[in-house]
Amino acid sequence: MKDFKDLVDALENIQSLESKEQKETRLKSLKREILKLEIAVIVIGLIILSLIVLPFFSILSFSFTSVLAILGGVALIVKAFKDGDTLETEKYFLLISISNDKTQDKDGE
């Protein structure tokens, strides 16, 4: 239900943007947010990988804390993917809206 609400909010945000410049600014903002999420997923994934691999080389002891860190990291990655899906959907609809504006501008000339 939360995902549906997030999607509706994203579509309402797009509809509230009136000018092409506002839409392009929002698109740049969305691209930055998506990039931040991608970087966070990569960093968390590398940390999780190191927590799994390092105990095999006896560099780090495998403990209950390591297991909790791995599980917490996986949960953060899943959350990032859910947030990323909403952002990607908003980006997609925003690109459609910008494309429609460009088409209307060409038809109006």
Side-chain angles (χ1 to χ4, degrees), residues 11-77:
L11 292 175
E12 287 176 355
N13 287 341
I14 292 171
Q15 289 176 345
S16 69
L17 301 173
E18 295 177 8
S19 70
K20 185 178 172 183
E21 291 79 23
Q22 288 176 332
K23 291 177 184 179
E24 289 174 350
T25 303
R26 178 63 184 153
L27 182 62
K28 287 179 185 177
S29 172
L30 282 174
K31 286 181 180 180
R32 270 188 249 120
E33 289 178 37
I34 291 169
L35 181 63
K36 287 178 187 177
L37 278 177
E38 290 171 346
I39 291 171
V41 166
I42 290 170
V43 169
I44 292 170
L46 289 174
I47 291 170
I48 291 172
L49 186 62
S50 69
L51 288 174
I52 293 171
V53 172
L54 290 179
F56 290 116
F57 296 113
S58 299
I59 296 173
L60 182 71
S61 63
F62 196 76
S63 65
F64 182 69
T65 308
S66 298
V67 172
L68 290 178
I70 291 169
L71 293 176
V74 170
L76 285 174
I77 289 174

Side-chain angles (χ1 to χ4, degrees), residues 2-16 26 86 90:
K2 183 185 179 296
D3 293 334
F4 184 72
K5 185 181 181 317
D6 290 342
L7 185 60
V8 170
D9 289 342
L11 292 175
E12 287 176 355
N13 287 341
I14 292 171
Q15 289 176 345
S16 69
R26 178 63 184 153
T86 304
E90 184 176 353

